[in-house]
Amino acid sequence: MSAYIIRGGNYLNGEIRIGGAKNSVLPIMAASILNLSTTVLLDCPCISDVDISVEILRRLGCKVWRDGCRAEIDSSMINNFEIPLELMNKMRSSFIFLGAMLAVGGKAVCGYPGGCELGARPIDLHMKAFRKLGVHIKEHGGYISCDSSNFKACKVALDFPSVGATENIMLLACKQKGTTTIVNAAREPEINDLQDFLNLMGAKVSGAGSSKITIEGVASLSPAEKRIMPDRIVASTIMFAASTTGGNITLQNVNCSHLDSVILLLRDCGADIYTHSDSLDIICPRRLKSTDVLQTMPYPGFPTDAQSQAVAAFATMKGTSIVKETIFENRFNHASELKKMGANITIGDRLAVVRGVPRLTGAHVYSPDLRGGAALVIAALGAEGTSVVDNIHYVDRGYDKLENMFSELGGDIKREDLYE
Ligand code: UD1
């Protein structure tokens, strides 16, 4: 098990290129089975969630080759439509393979994705929509068996704009007869990236980015090559780190409009941010001032995936911030670790009150989850003294060698195997 050893206090300066987005590449890898042919992905990040998707694709009978940030998938030999429990448990978002497997095989079985560190994470919205579309679902012993031979295209309304449910329906419907419409669809930019990929293969999907997505079924799909969109959460993580340590950073390969809510927040806190066509500059003094209230919301609101990093940054800003988490019921586990470093945080029901202190101090802390781990790294980079950030296998799920990114920017961070 590895940990980061971080000596805090350095300003972060320099230029860094943002790679492909985890939340875009995972559904696109699931979608790659739809063309029964070849897919080439560029800017495919080297993160452990991608490794698990590769494992799933191979289990289904696909061939996968990786070379740095290039991945090639050949799904022409796909012969299995069952994902066992142990693979489902490794990554909750493996559930998006269900729609794709049904679209190709007509029948599919997968383990029930259990709860995770963020809370219960039910799948009722996926199941309700699938049933509405004529999919027969049987649940047995932790497994879900689905049969889509009686698929009937229609209009489905989501009770909440779930990202995963929107993607699962898009994958299920794009090779079926008729027109399927998703009402109250999620509007996250990663849904646009999935639509782009499906259309590159010859699908007829429109409306992504709005709350109504229309999918006209086509009989077959063709090979495609796709560059994955830049990761807006990795970009946000670096911006919150700069706001904690102070510094002057240029982020290359970003879509600034995807970062609007983060940019507006950090400008309110006193950061200077200049946006360009595919880059941005962020310049921060050593200590910013906090915002009043921050609430996570579905896109284009402030992303829940950047909430932990914002809390870490608020911990040392001047003033008090109230942070309300509206998406996940259990997403403040990083707070108790930040308190070990001297943060003054009170947690209520989906609420954190963060009273800024001038400086945190180094401590041995444990990543509670992916973004919580990134938050601890941010806090440690700004803290006085040395910190050990443990359990970084969580961080590796979604960051392609976070230590290299921060080292390049002047942070004193290294990975060590503590428990060999
Ligand atoms: C995706 C992202 C994740 C991000 C989240 C919210 C990927 C791989 N993951 O997760 O990083 O934090 O969007 O932006 O893209 N819900 C239900 N029933 C369902 C489905 C969801 O109640 O059937 C609830 C969830 O428990 C959660 C909320 O809806 O409280 C949002 O979930 P959803 O948008 O589905 O998130 P994911 O797709 O799992």
Side-chain angles (χ1 to χ4, degrees):
M1 290 267 257
S2 308
Y4 285 136
I5 314 293
I6 301 171
R7 223 154 43 95
N10 292 2
Y11 279 93
L12 294 178
N13 289 315
E15 198 173 299
I16 192 126
R17 182 181 182 277
I18 302 298
K22 166 180 103 62
N23 288 354
S24 170
V25 76
L26 300 179
I28 286 177
M29 289 178 87
S32 73
I33 69 173
L34 296 174
N35 62 9
L36 297 171
S37 177
T38 332
T39 296
V40 173
L41 302 179
L42 306 174
D43 266 339
C44 174
C46 296
I47 54 176
S48 61
D49 274 9
V50 165
D51 299 340
I52 296 166
S53 296
V54 169
E55 219 181 306
I56 293 174
L57 285 166
R58 289 188 174 138
R59 187 70 70 105
L60 302 184
C62 302
K63 292 204 169 84
V64 186
W65 299 269
R66 285 169 84 187
D67 179 13
C69 292
R70 183 183 187 277
E72 188 169 336
I73 301 158
D74 177 358
S75 58
S76 60
M77 308 287 277
I78 190 164
N79 56 8
N80 174 32
F81 299 98
E82 180 164 345
I83 305 178
L85 267 181
E86 86 261 12
L87 268 179
M88 291 301 293
N89 282 337
K90 278 191 186 173
M91 181 179 72
R92 205 201 117 86
S93 48
S94 47
F95 199 60
I96 4 171
F97 273 89
L98 185 58
M101 288 195 297
L102 284 173
V104 178
K107 285 185 183 160
V109 180
C110 67
Y112 191 90
C116 72
E117 53 283 355
L118 304 184
R121 301 193 76 170
I123 49 161
D124 54 316
L125 300 173
H126 302 241
M127 295 294 94
K128 190 174 162 190
F130 275 28
R131 285 199 171 97
K132 179 96 201 275
L133 289 162
V135 176
H136 181 259
I137 301 170
K138 208 171 100 197
E139 296 180 52
H140 53 100
Y143 279 88
I144 304 166
S145 296
C146 294
D147 181 336
S148 61
S149 45
N150 290 323
F151 181 94
K152 242 175 123 176
C154 66
K155 201 181 248 192
V156 280
L158 294 175
D159 298 330
F160 178 87
S162 154
V163 175
T166 302
E167 293 166 344
N168 234 338
I169 300 166
M170 289 164 78
L171 298 184
L172 169 69
C174 69
K175 279 179 79 176
Q176 309 277 1
K177 262 202 193 121
T179 301
T180 301
T181 309
I182 311 173
V183 177
N184 197 25
R187 292 187 287 157
E188 269 66 4
E190 292 76 14
I191 308 266
N192 293 63
D193 220 32
L194 178 61
Q195 171 179 289
D196 287 350
F197 176 62
L198 293 171
N199 290 344
L200 272 172
M201 294 194 293
K204 289 190 176 157
V205 184
S206 58
S210 78
S211 52
K212 185 172 159 196
I213 296 178
T214 306
I215 306 133
E216 280 176 61
V218 297
S220 63
L221 297 173
S222 336
E225 178 172 309
K226 165 92 179 111
R227 185 173 292 280
I228 304 297
M229 62 173 267
D231 196 314
R232 62 196 170 100
I233 304 302
V234 172
S236 308
T237 301
I238 294 173
M239 291 166 79
F240 282 112
S243 77
T244 304
T245 60
N248 183 341
I249 295 177
T250 298
L251 299 182
Q252 297 287 1
N253 192 41
V254 288
N255 183 327
C256 295
S257 67
H258 295 167
L259 292 164
D260 270 346
S261 59
V262 174
I263 292 172
L264 291 174
L265 167 75
L266 284 172
R267 278 188 182 143
D268 266 359
C269 295
D272 285 327
I273 299 174
Y274 304 98
T275 60
H276 315 288
S277 60
D278 64 353
S279 69
L280 72 75
D281 306 315
I282 174 164
I283 300 153
C284 299
R286 177 68 91 178
R287 194 164 184 220
L288 276 68
K289 62 175 172 43
S290 59
T291 188
D292 279 351
V293 179
L294 174 67
Q295 177 160 313
T296 62
M297 293 292 277
Y299 189 83
F302 186 87
T304 174
D305 287 351
Q307 177 263 104
S308 313
Q309 301 89 315
V311 167
F314 292 155
T316 52
M317 287 189 195
K318 282 180 214 143
T320 298
S321 315
I322 295 173
V323 180
K324 201 170 167 204
E325 172 57 57
T326 73
I327 310 292
F328 291 108
E329 69 269 28
N330 191 23
R331 206 167 198 178
F332 284 120
N333 290 331
H334 47 291
S336 52
E337 299 303 301
L338 290 170
K339 281 162 117 175
K340 291 182 190 165
M341 302 175 77
N344 183 344
I345 305 175
T346 310
I347 298 295
D349 182 23
R350 292 184 178 223
L351 201 78
V353 180
V354 189
R355 294 182 182 84
V357 297
R359 202 86 197 259
L360 298 181
T361 42
H364 192 137
V365 288
Y366 293 83
S367 305
D369 52 61
L370 162 60
R371 306 303 172 185
L376 298 178
V377 170
I378 290 173
L381 286 167
E384 200 176 322
T386 301
S387 297
V388 177
V389 177
D390 222 314
N391 278 354
I392 58 171
H393 59 280
Y394 283 121
V395 176
D396 291 333
R397 281 190 41 214
Y399 292 91
D400 189 341
K401 294 174 213 71
L402 191 59
E403 67 274 26
N404 290 357
M405 277 192 253
F406 284 128
S407 299
E408 267 179 56
L409 295 170
D412 188 342
I413 171 170
K414 49 182 197 296
R415 178 184 293 256
E416 265 184 24
D417 280 326
L418 292 187
Y419 311 104
E420 273 180 320

